């Protein structure tokens, strides 16, 4: 028969655990037989060769803990350890197999047996005590092992560890069933052994190794403290957990996307302010215009002569001293904006690829159903509110997973299918028709607005009001029409909530990108060709007004679209009920605002700072409106793939369209003659060409000229570069 024993008696972590020791003492009080010797033959009835006959053997003397300093040793009787005599009537059921029998002449490696790593007296006594709980031959093995010199085994272990590589030695010490103090002692002995074997340079090498080890530990501690500090800067972490627990991942995806865009704007504001705005303060002239307060809405007047717009920046080389270092404002302006867009492109591509791999390719690794039930709980959570929040979060995730697996195609008749297809076609025709009408109205209004602005007005009030007409009408269309598209989505009665959101997003993105395309055509072809003194500042003012008015309309949309909707649904028309959070419309508002900000960076470098403040306020307004006015989705569904879809929309058509607009402005349009850092040049890109010509005169900088002529101006290089991107 095979020999079995309880692994808990062989595991030191289980054996010496304070919690389990207390549990055992408590169980002993309840059941006096719980600590009975597991190998006591008197408590069992065995069958084998003596089938049908009960055998009662003399019970073994129960063993007390051999740890004389143990806190439990006083409560247990002290007895001598008695080895079993070789009785002929030993329990046949516990007879060890031949391969498990002890052979005193056999040799074994100290690294193979986990019990040869214990060299302290207490560990050795515990080793003997556990072996004495086995049958007679195993007890004899324990008694003879006790007589084995501990120093010899320790020397063998240290020698074996010293002959290993560093990585193998670390792994072997980590796998030892010892406490941390004992492992440190073994590690130090091994290091001293290695130092002795190193020869004459042992002292010097040991000192260097010690210094390197301390430097690594210090660096690791610094890295951990730095990561903990940055984790504290992870704002809105608790708020996002609350939203995920109450409303699920579909609503959470909007707030994560909003936070992600806010990080983009913070980064853009910091680099623009540091490399463009701060140097301009050195040569800035005092502003003689008066501030009336209306400039906050229009962006004109007093702000026209500030660092907010392109026209205020100088084209001179900035020097604090005559012979000091110079700062080329033209190169700083174009390189700061260009490098920022390159970084944004790389970050967006990496984030989109990572999200696609996590949510589409390798979904089972990140969303296992069994792991949520068995392995998802964090036992470090002790706060009652945090426990309830974690329970809600896990419950919502499980509901979403179950709803994802219960999808069934609806069974419709032929007539119902035809009616549904006609409803879809009619909804698309209505959405596309309204988008075309909105774009035509924005274009004719912008042309008329420019003509009225060029003629001028008699008083400032009429001029300020005329400036806001285009922004108000555009923002009104962007707010009202998405509500119409949401109503069309409800009319179509989609079975899957994802399909409804995707269709609504597609219709809204067509509307918003079409309006932005019409405005870009107006700015680059009409405003740039006008007789304005500084057309770049006019474009910057238009974008400023669009961003500000769009932010105001988003706040009003939260009030009228959610607050009043809840009041009507709970008091006037109860069948209407409490509204749900419109994810598609809210996400497209963010993409629209971020697209305007990216276009306006070239004409208004501090525009990301304004968008940063508006996104921060919008986050709190949307959170309060969500908690007070909205209800969780009626159908639980998993929205992990929504974030990937949002990033894709931000990349195309948003960022790709912005890069096209910036490229046309830099390479083709002629800057204004009397304002801006590129005044007097045929194009903005000409500043780089002139700088490269200057570098050709210096021997140490010819490599820059070679890169410019052989890579930057080469069509083949851009073709090869576009292949992996496309």
């Amino acid at each position: 028969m095979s020999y079995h024993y309880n692994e808990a008696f062989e595991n030191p972590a289980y054996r010496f655990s304070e919690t389990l020791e207390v549990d055992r003492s408590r169980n002993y009080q309840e059941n006096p037989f719980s600590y009975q010797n597991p190998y006591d033959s008197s408590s069992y009835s065995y069958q084998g060769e003596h089938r049908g006959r009960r055998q009662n053997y003399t019970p073994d003397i129960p063993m007390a803990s051999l740890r004389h300093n143990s806190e439990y040793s006083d409560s247990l009787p002290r007895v001598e350890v008695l080895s079993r005599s070789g009785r002929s009537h030993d329990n046949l059921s516990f007879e060890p197999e031949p391969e498990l029998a002890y052979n005193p002449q056999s040799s074994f490696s100290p690294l193979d047996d986990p019990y040869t790593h214990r060299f302290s007296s207490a560990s050795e006594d515990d080793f003997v005590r556990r072996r004495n709980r086995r049958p007679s031959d195993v007890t004899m093995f324990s008694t003879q092992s006790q007589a084995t010199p501990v120093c010899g085994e320790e020397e063998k272990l240290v020698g074996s560890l010293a002959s290993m590589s560093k990585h193998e030695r670390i792994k072997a010490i980590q796998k030892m069933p010892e406490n941390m103090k004992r492992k440190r002692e073994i590690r130090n002995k091994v290091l001293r052994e290695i130092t002795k074997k190193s020869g004459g340079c042992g002292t010097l090498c040991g000192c260097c190794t010690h210094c390197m080890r301390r430097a690594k530990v210090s660096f690791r501690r610094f890295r951990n403290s730095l990561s903990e500090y940055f984790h504290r800067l992870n704002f809105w972490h608790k708020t996002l957990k609350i939203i995920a627990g109450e409303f699920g991942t579909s609503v959470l995806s909007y707030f994560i996307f909003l936070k992600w865009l806010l990080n983009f704007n913070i980064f853009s504001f910091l680099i623009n302010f540091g490399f463009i705005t701060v140097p301009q303060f050195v040569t800035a002239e005092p502003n003689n215009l008066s501030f009336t307060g209306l400039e906050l809405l229009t962006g004109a007047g007093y702000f026209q002569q500030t660092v907010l717009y392109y026209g205020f920046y100088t084209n001179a080389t900035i020097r604090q001293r005559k012979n000091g270092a110079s700062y080329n404002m033209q190169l700083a302006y174009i390189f700061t904006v260009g490098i920022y867009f390159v970084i944004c492109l790389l970050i967006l591509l990496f984030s989109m690829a990572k999200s696609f791999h996590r949510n589409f390719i390798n979904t089972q690794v990140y969303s296992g159903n069994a792991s949520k039930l068995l392995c998802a709980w964090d036992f470090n959570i002790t706060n009652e509110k945090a426990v309830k929040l974690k329970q809600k979060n896990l419950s919502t995730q499980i509901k979403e997973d179950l709803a994802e697996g219960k999808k069934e195609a609806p069974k419709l008749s032929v007539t119902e299918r035809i009616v549904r297809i006609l409803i879809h076609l009619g909804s698309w025709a209505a959405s596309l028709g309204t988008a075309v009408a909105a774009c035509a109205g924005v274009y004719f209004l912008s042309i008329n607005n420019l003509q009225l602005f060029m003629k001028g007005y008699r008083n400032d009030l009429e001029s300020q009001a005329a400036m806001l007409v285009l922004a108000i009408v555009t923002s009104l269309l962007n707010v009202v029409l998405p509500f119409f598209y949401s109503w069309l989505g409800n009319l179509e009665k989609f079975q899957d909530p994802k399909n409804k959101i995707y269709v609504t997003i597609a219709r809204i993105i067509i509307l918003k990108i079409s309006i932005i395309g019409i405005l870009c055509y107006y700015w680059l072809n009409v405003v740039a060709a006008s007789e304005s003194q500084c057309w770049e500042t006019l474009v910057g003012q238009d974008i400023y007004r669009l961003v500000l008015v769009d932010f105001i309309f988003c706040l009003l949309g939260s009030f009228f679209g959610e607050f009043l909707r809840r009041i009507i649904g709970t008091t006037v028309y109860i069948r209407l009920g409490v509204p749900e959070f419109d994810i598609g419309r809210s996400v497209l508002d963010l993409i629209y605002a971020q697209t305007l900000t990216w276009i306006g960076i070239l004409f208004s470098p501090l525009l990301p700072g304004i968008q940063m403040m508006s996104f921060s306020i919008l986050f709190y307004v949307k959170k309060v409106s969500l908690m007070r006015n909205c209800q969780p989705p009626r159908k639980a569904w998993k929205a992990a793939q929504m974030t990937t879809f949002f990033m894709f929309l931000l990349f195309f058509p948003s960022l790709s369209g912005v890069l096209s607009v910036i490229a046309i402005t830099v390479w083709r349009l002629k800057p204004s003659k009397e304002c801006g850092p590129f005044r007097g040049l045929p194009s903005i890109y000409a500043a780089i060409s002139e700088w490269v010509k200057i570098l050709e005169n210096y021997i140490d900088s010819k490599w820059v000229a070679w890169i410019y002529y052989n890579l930057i101006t080469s069509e083949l290089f851009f073709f090869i570069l576009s292949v992996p991107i496309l």
Side-chain angles (χ1 to χ4, degrees):
M1 296 184 182
S2 61
Y3 174 68
H4 299 282
Y5 59 92
N6 192 350
E7 294 182 357
F9 292 98
E10 303 295 331
N11 189 351
Y14 180 90
R15 179 65 185 169
F16 298 158
S17 175
E18 182 180 353
T19 305
L20 296 176
E21 196 75 41
V22 173
D23 294 339
R24 285 194 293 271
S25 62
R26 188 177 303 165
N27 294 332
Y28 180 78
Q29 294 175 1
E30 297 176 357
N31 184 9
F33 299 100
S34 59
Y35 272 89
Q36 201 169 15
N37 191 343
Y39 303 105
D40 187 2
S41 58
S42 62
S43 58
Y44 301 92
S45 174
Y46 301 102
Q47 296 178 0
E49 297 178 0
H50 307 278
R51 183 179 302 273
R53 181 167 55 93
R54 299 179 59 90
Q55 297 180 1
N56 296 325
Y57 301 114
T58 304
D60 292 335
I61 298 176
M63 297 173 57
S65 175
L66 296 179
R67 294 174 294 165
H68 302 292
N69 297 327
S70 174
E71 55 181 336
Y72 307 105
S73 60
D74 296 335
S75 60
L76 298 175
R78 299 180 182 275
V79 296
E80 297 294 334
V81 180
L82 299 177
S83 61
R84 298 186 181 211
S85 61
R87 295 193 300 263
S88 60
H89 57 278
D90 265 346
N91 190 351
L92 298 177
S93 300
F94 281 39
E95 181 178 355
E97 294 181 357
E99 63 270 13
L100 295 176
Y102 171 67
N103 185 8
Q105 283 78 21
S106 63
S107 60
F108 58 93
S109 174
L111 294 177
D112 297 332
D113 194 305
Y115 306 105
T116 60
H117 298 266
R118 305 177 184 182
F119 308 108
S120 63
S121 59
S123 301
E124 187 70 15
D125 292 342
D126 183 75
F127 175 81
V128 175
R129 184 188 66 215
R130 290 196 308 273
R131 291 298 187 184
N132 282 328
R133 297 191 177 190
R134 299 187 184 180
S136 59
D137 46 2
V138 180
T139 307
M140 180 178 63
F141 169 76
S142 302
T143 308
Q144 295 181 2
S145 299
Q146 186 178 6
T148 304
V150 178
C151 297
E153 294 181 358
E154 184 174 358
E155 291 177 357
K156 290 180 181 180
L157 176 62
V158 172
S160 300
L161 292 173
S163 61
M164 295 181 179
S165 62
K166 182 179 179 181
H167 181 72
E168 293 177 351
R169 183 168 60 250
I170 292 174
K171 291 295 183 183
I173 295 176
Q174 287 178 351
K175 292 180 180 179
M176 289 182 181
E178 300 287 348
N179 53 27
M180 293 301 299
K181 182 179 179 181
R182 182 60 185 157
K183 289 181 180 180
R184 291 192 187 100
E185 293 177 358
I186 296 174
R187 183 196 62 183
N188 294 334
K189 291 180 181 180
V190 173
L191 293 177
R192 285 195 294 268
E193 183 69 19
I194 295 174
T195 304
K196 291 179 182 179
K197 293 181 180 179
S198 60
C201 62
T203 305
L204 180 61
C205 295
C207 182
C208 295
T209 305
H210 182 68
C211 294
M212 290 295 295
R213 191 183 306 115
R214 295 196 61 175
K216 289 180 180 179
V217 172
S218 301
F219 176 75
R220 191 183 302 115
R221 290 176 179 174
F222 172 75
R223 184 181 61 187
N224 294 335
S225 60
L226 192 64
S227 62
E228 183 179 358
Y229 175 75
F230 279 109
H231 181 71
R232 292 178 181 177
L233 294 179
N234 190 10
F235 46 89
W236 301 335
H237 184 68
K238 182 179 178 181
T239 304
L240 295 177
K241 282 188 174 181
I242 295 174
I243 294 172
E246 295 288 342
F247 297 90
T249 57
S250 57
V251 179
L252 178 66
S253 61
Y254 165 78
F255 288 91
I256 293 177
F257 189 65
L258 175 58
K259 180 182 175 181
W260 195 62
L261 291 180
L262 179 62
N263 294 331
F264 261 114
N265 287 281
I266 292 174
F267 172 69
S268 176
F269 172 75
L270 291 177
I271 65 171
N272 287 349
F273 185 79
F275 293 98
I276 298 178
T277 305
V278 172
Q280 180 62 35
F281 283 130
V282 178
T283 59
E285 298 179 357
N287 193 346
N288 298 323
L289 299 176
S290 59
F291 182 76
T292 60
L294 293 175
E295 291 85 353
L296 295 174
L297 292 175
T298 62
Y302 179 82
F303 288 154
Q304 192 170 354
Q305 297 297 325
T306 59
V307 293
L308 183 60
Y309 295 117
Y310 164 93
F312 183 75
Y313 290 88
T314 181
N315 63 339
T317 301
I318 300 174
R319 280 191 179 92
Q320 287 186 343
R321 300 176 182 178
K322 292 183 179 180
N323 297 327
S326 60
Y327 193 84
N328 194 325
M329 200 63 196
Q330 292 181 345
L331 298 178
Y333 201 98
I334 190 171
F335 278 128
T336 301
V337 175
I339 292 174
Y340 166 73
F341 277 112
V342 171
I343 293 174
C344 285
L345 179 63
L346 295 178
I347 292 175
L348 194 56
L349 287 174
F350 176 78
S351 302
M352 189 167 55
K354 183 179 179 181
S355 180
F356 181 80
H357 180 268
R358 181 175 64 247
N359 298 321
F360 287 89
I361 298 177
N362 202 8
T363 57
Q364 294 298 328
V365 175
Y366 297 93
S367 60
N369 295 328
S371 63
K372 288 184 174 63
L373 291 173
L374 304 176
C375 308
W377 187 257
D378 187 1
F379 289 93
N380 292 324
I381 300 176
T382 57
N383 185 271
E384 185 178 356
K385 293 182 179 179
V387 169
K388 292 182 179 179
L389 180 60
K390 185 68 174 178
Q391 289 175 349
K392 287 184 179 179
N393 204 332
L394 290 176
S395 175
T396 305
Q397 292 181 15
I398 293 172
K399 288 179 182 178
E400 292 173 352
D401 291 336
L402 293 176
E404 193 80 9
K406 281 186 176 181
K407 287 183 179 179
E408 295 181 359
K411 297 180 180 179
L412 302 175
S413 62
V414 178
T415 305
E416 291 175 344
R417 291 181 180 179
I418 294 174
V419 171
R420 178 162 292 186
I421 292 173
L422 292 177
I423 292 175
H424 289 327
L425 293 177
S427 300
W428 275 105
S431 62
L432 294 176
T434 53
V436 171
C439 293
V442 168
Y443 177 74
F444 288 111
L445 181 62
S446 60
I447 296 296
N448 188 31
N449 186 41
L450 180 63
Q451 294 176 355
L452 294 176
F453 179 77
M454 296 300 295
K455 291 180 180 179
Y457 290 86
R458 296 181 181 180
N459 53 56
D460 293 337
L461 185 60
E462 294 179 356
S463 177
Q464 300 287 341
M467 292 179 182
L468 292 172
V469 171
L470 178 62
I472 291 175
V473 172
T474 303
S475 299
L476 189 63
L477 291 173
N478 283 322
V479 170
V480 174
L481 291 181
F483 280 106
F484 174 67
Y485 295 158
S486 298
W487 178 78
L488 290 177
N490 294 330
L491 186 65
E492 291 174 290
K493 296 181 180 180
F494 289 97
Q495 295 293 328
D496 191 355
K498 281 186 181 180
N499 296 336
K500 176 184 175 182
I501 291 180
Y502 286 146
V503 170
T504 305
I505 286 177
R507 292 168 181 171
I508 297 175
I509 198 67
I510 291 173
L511 171 69
K512 292 182 178 292
I513 295 300
S514 300
I515 291 177
I516 291 178
I518 293 297
L519 291 174
C520 290
Y521 177 82
Y522 159 71
W523 290 326
L524 300 183
N525 291 275
V526 180
V527 178
S530 63
E531 299 177 357
S532 175
Q533 184 178 1
C534 189
W535 65 269
E536 293 92 348
T537 300
L538 289 180
V539 175
Q541 290 175 359
D542 281 340
I543 297 176
Y544 173 87
R545 288 189 286 268
L546 286 170
V547 169
L548 185 63
V549 175
D550 180 74
F551 167 69
I552 295 173
F553 272 82
C554 284
L555 299 181
L556 294 177
S558 298
F559 177 78
F560 289 102
E562 296 171 358
F563 175 71
L564 291 183
R565 167 76 166 72
R566 178 180 67 84
I567 297 297
I568 295 172
T570 54
T571 58
V572 180
Y573 189 62
I574 300 178
R575 290 186 59 186
L576 198 60
V578 181
E580 295 184 11
F581 188 78
D582 196 339
I583 303 172
R585 177 177 57 84
S586 302
V587 168
L588 267 298
D589 289 340
L590 296 179
I591 294 178
Y592 172 78
Q594 186 61 38
T595 305
L596 289 177
T597 304
W598 277 338
I599 295 174
I601 284 178
L602 187 63
F603 308 103
S604 180
L606 297 184
L607 192 61
I610 299 171
Q611 195 65 272
M612 178 180 63
M613 293 185 289
S614 66
F615 279 166
S616 301
I617 298 172
L618 187 64
F619 184 92
Y620 289 104
V621 171
K622 288 289 186 180
K623 184 198 78 170
V624 173
S625 178
L626 175 70
M627 295 297 181
R628 296 181 179 271
N629 303 323
C630 299
Q631 65 174 345
R634 294 184 179 89
K635 294 182 179 180
W637 56 283
K638 195 173 181 180
Q641 299 174 353
M642 291 291 293
T643 305
T644 307
F645 185 63
F646 296 158
M647 291 181 183
F648 176 76
L649 291 178
L650 193 64
F651 172 73
F652 181 84
S654 179
L655 183 59
S656 58
V658 169
L659 293 177
S660 302
V661 172
I662 297 298
I664 293 173
T665 305
V666 171
W667 267 277
R668 295 186 59 182
L669 298 183
K670 184 177 181 180
S672 300
K673 297 180 180 180
E674 300 179 1
C675 70
F678 304 101
R679 66 189 73 174
L681 296 177
S683 65
I684 296 177
Y685 183 74
I688 299 178
S689 301
E690 293 183 359
W691 175 62
V692 172
K693 291 179 181 178
I694 295 173
L695 292 178
E696 290 180 352
N697 300 325
Y698 299 94
I699 299 176
D700 297 336
S701 302
K702 285 188 176 181
W703 62 273
V704 180
W706 184 90
I707 292 176
Y708 175 78
Y709 289 115
N710 291 276
L711 296 180
I712 305 300
T713 59
S714 175
E715 294 83 359
L716 180 61
F717 172 75
F718 281 99
F719 174 75
I720 296 174
L721 187 64
S722 63
V723 169
I725 297 177
L726 297 177

